[in-house]
Amino acid sequence: MNIQWFPGHMAKTRRILAENLKMVDVVVELLDARIPASSKNPEIDGIVKNKPKIVVLNKADLADEKISNEWSKWYNSQGYATIFIDSIKGTGIKQLKDQMRDIMKDRIERDRQRGRIFRPIRTMIVGIPNVGKSSLINKIAGKKSAVTGDRPGVTRNKQWINVNNEIQLMDTPGILWPKFEDKTVGINLAVTGAIKDEIIDTVELASILLEHLSKTYPENIKKRYKLESLQDKKGYELLEEAGKKRGCIISGGEVDLTRIAAIVLDEFRGGKIGRITLERPGDAVQELVAD
């Protein structure tokens, strides 16, 4: 599966980030805890440069907790303090606010000694589409301030949101990069919903996902789709069998692969198959598809 997607508004988003960075004190880079490597836009570091940055992994409630701990240790070894959050329930939000204050404490104290009027910590939230930036801002602010949605590309323009007298947040549109050098990156982004389903072969995508999960989380898919045996079965076979079990049958007794593919992807994204992480540290990007 070859996935390339770079709509025009992505170039505009890069300009927005670069132009407004001088007004920002701290950058929060939001990643998907299920795909920490694939959800990291390699262009962000080049745009942000030396600005103080906090790495935040969202959707931690959907990720495999054991592997999340591995990622936490890996980031610590690289000199990053990481925060795992659930932007819907609010888990980890207090820790994130504390981290913002801690990063800026020297500037705040310097301004106080000089008698300057305190101004809020200006924080830019950056990340790929559909990673939960607007939901995070709403949770930090304690009110519905940013536009949210369950599809990529909802936030189109920058937004400044006043949290309180201490913190001011800038929401930005999600940004992808022009070309996925590793095909697995594109697949991981598509599986988690960062790329619109409308431009993807969802049957192939769901087949790839099931084949991968049959090796990494076999009991999860056996239980969820009542599959009796996974041995030596390819993704399409697993998808077809799951479709039969779910009653996704069309005229002639054939399986409606499009329907069962949509079900599998939706249930993965909603955590109904279980808490699953597709990448481990140590793998630049874990292979979903054999070359």
Side-chain angles (χ1 to χ4, degrees):
M1 173 175 277
N2 184 36
I3 300 172
Q4 297 299 337
W5 183 55
F6 192 56
H9 73 269
M10 292 297 172
K12 178 183 175 183
T13 300
R14 287 190 296 178
R15 289 197 300 272
I16 290 173
L17 298 186
E19 289 169 3
N20 290 279
L21 199 63
K22 59 182 177 292
M23 297 188 291
V24 171
D25 300 310
V26 180
V27 174
V28 171
E29 183 177 17
L30 198 60
L31 307 178
D32 188 322
R34 298 166 297 176
I35 51 168
S38 293
S39 61
K40 180 174 176 56
N41 186 335
E43 295 190 348
I44 293 294
D45 287 342
I47 296 171
V48 171
K49 297 179 181 176
N50 296 323
K51 282 284 181 182
K53 187 175 74 173
I54 304 171
V55 176
V56 177
L57 293 103
N58 192 24
K59 307 187 181 183
D61 59 311
L62 301 177
D64 186 323
E65 193 170 11
K66 182 180 177 182
I67 300 179
S68 291
N69 289 333
E70 293 177 16
W71 276 106
S72 183
K73 291 176 183 177
W74 183 85
Y75 272 109
N76 289 339
S77 73
Q78 302 297 309
Y80 288 100
T82 55
I83 301 171
F84 284 82
I85 68 166
D86 174 355
S87 64
I88 303 299
K89 296 179 181 176
T91 307
I93 299 300
K94 181 182 183 302
Q95 186 182 358
L96 175 56
K97 289 181 179 179
D98 291 343
Q99 186 74 12
M100 290 179 194
R101 297 186 189 101
D102 187 60
I103 284 178
M104 296 306 298
K105 65 182 179 183
D106 290 343
R107 192 217 74 188
I108 293 170
E109 178 59 23
R110 202 163 50 243
D111 288 350
R112 188 189 66 79
Q113 290 180 359
R114 293 174 180 174
R116 292 179 179 174
I117 298 174
F118 175 82
R119 67 170 176 79
I121 300 168
R122 290 175 176 169
T123 306
M124 178 186 282
I125 312 287
V126 298
I128 63 171
N130 208 32
V131 78
K133 296 184 301 299
S134 297
S135 296
L136 171 60
I137 285 175
N138 290 336
K139 190 57 70 172
I140 293 174
K143 56 187 176 181
K144 191 168 184 179
S145 306
V147 180
T148 62
D150 60 358
R151 66 189 190 280
V154 172
T155 306
R156 292 296 186 189
N157 299 297
K158 66 179 183 181
Q159 300 183 74
W160 279 106
I161 295 101
N162 291 315
V163 175
N164 49 37
N165 292 330
E166 289 187 88
I167 299 172
Q168 195 175 49
L169 299 174
M170 182 188 204
D171 188 16
T172 59
I175 177 172
L176 285 175
W177 46 108
K179 183 179 180 182
F180 306 130
E181 297 297 338
D182 190 315
K183 62 186 175 184
T184 308
V185 171
I187 291 168
N188 284 346
L189 291 170
V191 162
T192 53
I195 298 173
K196 296 178 180 179
D197 286 342
E198 289 85 350
I199 65 165
I200 296 167
D201 183 339
T202 55
V203 171
E204 185 178 359
L205 186 64
S207 299
I208 290 170
L209 175 62
L210 282 181
E211 187 165 333
H212 177 66
L213 296 182
S214 71
K215 301 168 185 173
T216 55
Y217 294 89
E219 295 306 315
N220 292 55
I221 62 168
K222 282 173 70 175
K223 181 179 179 181
R224 185 69 192 175
Y225 301 107
K226 297 180 172 56
L227 305 178
E228 296 174 5
S229 174
L230 307 179
Q231 189 173 4
D232 299 325
K233 288 187 178 177
K234 298 295 184 181
Y236 277 104
E237 295 175 278
L238 295 171
L239 188 65
E240 190 171 33
E241 190 174 335
K244 290 176 182 176
K245 296 290 185 179
R246 287 293 181 89
C248 299
I249 307 298
I250 54 179
S251 59
E254 293 184 12
V255 174
D256 187 341
L257 291 175
T258 301
R259 183 180 165 199
I260 187 59
I263 289 171
V264 168
L265 292 173
D266 182 66
E267 292 188 346
F268 169 78
R269 293 165 184 168
K272 293 179 181 177
I273 300 176
R275 297 183 63 166
I276 291 170
T277 301
L278 298 178
E279 301 172 325
R280 289 178 178 269
D283 306 325
V285 176
Q286 189 180 44
E287 285 293 327
L288 276 180
V289 189
D291 290 330

